[in-house]
Amino acid sequence: MNLGDRVLYKGCQGADVEQLQKLLAKLGYDIIISEYFGDRTEKAVIKFQNDNELKPDGRVSGITLLKIKLKS
């Protein structure tokens, strides 16, 4: 799957999760690139959402994904 094909959240795994993790790492978030959306990825997503005045729900879709892509 490609990043953006589905909503990503804790427990998801696949190449799209790895793409997300690489973008978050590029933005300076403390993350492990593993293709698995675990606790560390969720914390990084929530921190990104808080840093960018988004709803901090730990889910990656829509506006959260768009802002991650625009900033990376």
Side-chain angles (χ1 to χ4, degrees), residues 11-24:
C12 289
Q13 47 190 331
D16 52 349
V17 174
E18 181 181 22
Q19 292 170 346
L20 169 66
Q21 291 167 333
K22 285 179 178 177
L23 291 175
L24 289 169

Side-chain angles (χ1 to χ4, degrees), residues 4-66:
D5 287 351
R6 62 179 173 156
V7 175
L8 296 178
Y9 50 89
K10 189 173 175 181
C12 289
Q13 47 190 331
D16 52 349
V17 174
E18 181 181 22
Q19 292 170 346
L20 169 66
Q21 291 167 333
K22 285 179 178 177
L23 291 175
L24 289 169
K26 185 176 175 183
L27 292 172
Y29 291 91
D30 180 29
I31 197 158
I32 294 171
I33 298 169
S34 66
E35 290 194 9
Y36 179 73
F37 197 126
D39 290 336
R40 203 163 192 170
T41 302
E42 183 180 54
K43 284 178 187 171
V45 169
I46 290 171
K47 180 156 179 28
F48 177 86
Q49 290 170 326
N50 279 321
D51 290 348
N52 290 277
E53 299 176 4
L54 299 168
K55 180 182 173 187
D57 61 5
R59 298 173 68 86
V60 179
S61 66
I63 192 71
T64 296
L65 180 57
L66 179 63

